[in-house]
Amino acid sequence: MKFFRPRGRSDAQKMTGTPLAEAKALYEAGRYAEAEAEARAVARSKTENQAYAAAALNIAALATGAQGRNAEALATYDEALARFSRIFGADHYLTWKLRSDRAQHLTSLGEYAECEAECAAVAAFAARGTGPEMTRLAAAARNGLAFALNAQGRHQEAEALAREGLAACPAREPMSLVLRLGLARSLNGQARYDEALAEARRADSQYRALPERQRLPERGAVELVLAKALSGLDQVREARGLAVAAHDACLASFGPDHRRTVEARTMLDRMDGARP
């Protein structure tokens, strides 16, 4: 059961006729509250195929996290992981994919060291396998590692990991976008703002080339990295405009408690506090 393929037909199209179709369609459309409600209903149902009920919990966790309810999302990930381990086994690809999703959500709770350790374990598992699924899993793990390292101020390590991930990830894969954003963040953290701006602009081009449904989870992310680089280059007016755009997009898409909304608000507060 290949629940979470990132390209080609939408997941909802692939799942037509399954209990997950509606929840996936709602999630892909950015209707996170509705997706969560539908997914939790499937997880509570008496469906004969318990794999679908377990996958529904994964969708519920993703949708809850997208609304900024981070502690609830982590609890749902933990419940889903217990089911995945029981149904598929601890060493199944889907179980490790869920571990990757859960680990990267830890960043929303500030658990950067735990995210780092778990993503390193996922990367080690992925390195033992072959094929496109393992390549995507390795890229996701590198992205989580880079984010956790950046958050801990270890920007040079994050840069190396992001570059390694980009070298191994085809440019057509959506994961290359988030790896490039991680690279730009690492360069911003080293005050290499010209380089960060160049990478952020490349990320912006990648973002604009994606289908709308693949853009939704990254709303505001490019603008935040661009704003940071421009602010570092003293292009304050343009930087502030991008920070406002990021905040408004994240607020509308994810709500006030989402990590990215908070980051944009903090950036704006810092910019406004520095103004004469």
Side-chain angles (χ1 to χ4, degrees):
M1 301 179 74
K2 298 177 181 178
F3 296 118
F4 307 112
R5 287 297 186 89
R7 293 190 64 84
R9 292 181 303 152
S10 74
D11 290 331
Q13 286 175 309
K14 291 177 182 180
M15 294 180 190
T16 299
T18 76
L20 296 174
E22 182 66 14
K24 284 298 296 178
L26 290 166
Y27 182 81
E28 286 188 346
R31 294 162 61 180
Y32 300 121
E34 295 168 80
E36 179 195 354
E38 176 66 22
R40 291 191 186 280
V42 173
R44 290 192 301 268
S45 71
K46 301 298 183 181
T47 177
E48 292 182 5
N49 192 329
Q50 288 302 300
Y52 284 123
L57 279 175
N58 191 0
I59 298 169
L62 289 164
T64 304
Q67 296 171 77
R69 295 183 4 246
N70 299 316
E72 290 177 66
L74 184 61
T76 305
Y77 274 119
D78 289 341
E79 185 180 353
L81 185 57
R83 291 203 198 184
F84 271 58
S85 298
R86 185 174 68 251
I87 294 167
F88 300 113
D91 279 334
H92 194 283
Y93 163 79
L94 287 173
T95 304
W96 282 93
K97 173 65 172 66
L98 179 61
R99 284 182 64 173
S100 175
D101 291 345
R102 177 189 177 278
Q104 294 184 61
H105 185 74
L106 289 168
T107 61
S108 297
L109 293 162
E111 300 289 347
Y112 303 121
E114 186 178 349
C115 174
E116 178 188 353
E118 185 70 347
C119 284
V122 174
F125 168 79
R128 298 198 298 268
T130 58
E133 288 180 334
M134 289 298 187
T135 299
R136 293 186 189 107
L137 186 60
R142 286 193 183 103
N143 175 61
L145 273 169
F147 195 98
L149 290 169
N150 272 324
Q152 294 173 80
R154 294 157 60 188
H155 301 299
Q156 290 181 328
E157 293 174 73
E159 179 189 355
L161 267 170
R163 291 191 186 280
E164 179 183 313
L166 281 167
C169 185
R172 67 181 182 275
E173 289 285 348
M175 187 55 65
S176 69
L177 167 63
V178 292
L179 285 164
R180 193 169 301 283
L181 288 170
L183 174 58
R185 282 180 178 272
S186 74
L187 295 167
N188 273 330
Q190 296 172 70
R192 290 159 59 187
Y193 298 119
D194 284 313
E195 294 172 76
L197 183 60
E199 292 298 343
R201 284 175 171 161
R202 292 187 186 100
D204 187 42
S205 295
Q206 286 183 268
Y207 177 81
R208 293 176 187 277
L210 289 173
E212 178 62 22
R213 65 183 176 82
Q214 292 180 7
R215 293 184 197 176
L216 290 173
E218 303 308 321
R219 281 273 174 87
V222 174
E223 290 88 346
L224 280 170
V225 176
L226 281 167
K228 178 68 173 177
L230 288 166
S231 179
L233 294 168
D234 292 325
Q235 298 181 40
V236 178
R237 179 173 295 184
E238 188 177 355
R240 191 181 188 286
L242 284 164
V244 169
H247 179 266
D248 291 349
C250 293
L251 186 63
S253 297
F254 310 122
D257 298 323
H258 190 272
R259 169 183 57 79
R260 209 174 292 149
T261 311
V262 173
E263 181 182 357
R265 182 71 260 164
T266 301
M267 184 181 293
L268 283 169
D269 289 345
R270 188 176 300 121
M271 288 176 176
D272 291 344
R275 295 169 75 181

